[in-house]
Amino acid sequence: MENMLGLLRLHVIRGVNLAIRDSHSSDPYVIVRMGKQKLRTRVMKKTLNPEWNEDLTLSVTDPTLPVKIMVYDRDWFSRDDKMGDAVFHIDPFLEAIRIQNQLGGLPDGTVIMKIQASRQNCLSEESKIVWHKGKIVQNMFLRLQNVERGEVELQLEWIDVSDHISI
């Protein structure tokens, strides 16, 4: 892939208190988009609190592109119902990688950066970018928009395909 900067692994952990789209429950799945890339999780049947624990990997060629998360309810005889969406940017995550590359040798558990929840992002609580077991990871709870309720928990991990990121 041309000009690939690295890979972004999204560990789609779970959904919390998702909206009801069937009679008493939903059959949720997640679609992740970045630019022209589109990935999806498996469908979890009859639950408002699904535990996907699935890894989806995006190739990062343009770090300015947002990552879009869309949750749907699988319907077998009609169009799938929307259950909300969220958007986030990976700029802070990439900045944390630059910082770690400059500092090097960080002790395990070092918090490199904190991102506060605000009206400008979909975070439902503070998100920390941490040096953990030789990798940079970011845990985040995303508040779903365009829906009455629901959150999705993710963990981001950078997979370097070169020696150092030079964005």
Side-chain angles (χ1 to χ4, degrees):
M1 186 167 281
E2 68 181 67
N3 299 328
M4 186 167 66
L5 303 170
L7 300 172
L8 182 66
R9 178 172 293 148
L10 283 87
H11 183 68
V12 182
I13 300 170
R14 64 189 176 128
V16 178
N17 197 26
L18 299 179
I20 296 172
R21 289 293 180 260
D22 293 334
S23 57
H24 299 290
S25 190
S26 292
D27 302 315
Y29 65 94
V30 174
I31 291 179
V32 176
R33 293 185 80 111
M34 184 180 199
K36 294 180 181 177
Q37 298 174 82
K38 179 180 176 182
L39 304 169
R40 69 174 271 181
T41 65
R42 68 191 183 284
V43 173
M44 301 300 289
K45 294 184 180 179
K46 296 183 181 175
T47 181
L48 302 178
N49 297 291
E51 301 219 4
W52 290 286
N53 286 313
E54 249 178 88
D55 288 332
L56 304 175
T57 304
L58 297 165
S59 300
V60 178
T61 55
D62 182 351
T64 63
L65 290 174
V67 178
K68 298 176 183 176
I69 306 291
M70 295 159 285
V71 182
Y72 287 92
D73 169 52
R74 177 75 170 115
D75 285 329
W76 303 103
F77 301 107
S78 62
R79 191 174 181 170
D80 291 355
D81 300 314
K82 292 181 181 179
M83 295 178 68
D85 56 81
V87 177
F88 66 91
H89 294 271
I90 62 170
D91 302 359
F93 190 69
L94 297 176
E95 181 60 27
I97 294 167
R98 281 190 214 94
I99 291 169
Q100 189 281 327
N101 286 342
Q102 290 170 355
L103 298 176
L106 297 174
D108 193 50
T110 299
V111 176
I112 300 169
M113 190 179 291
K114 296 178 184 179
I115 298 105
Q116 299 299 320
S118 72
R119 292 183 188 268
Q120 284 72 45
N121 62 41
C122 291
L123 293 173
S124 59
E125 61 185 42
E126 178 183 82
S127 177
K128 295 177 182 172
I129 303 174
V130 179
W131 181 251
H132 179 69
K133 295 182 180 178
K135 299 176 184 175
I136 293 178
V137 296
Q138 179 179 2
N139 293 306
M140 57 174 60
F141 270 98
L142 296 171
R143 180 180 50 253
L144 296 175
Q145 300 176 319
N146 304 310
V147 68
E148 59 272 19
R149 66 179 197 222
E151 295 178 339
V152 173
E153 182 181 6
L154 302 174
Q155 182 183 71
L156 307 183
E157 177 188 329
W158 184 256
I159 300 169
D160 207 352
V161 293
S162 65
D163 289 337
H164 291 291
I165 190 168
S166 58
I167 299 170

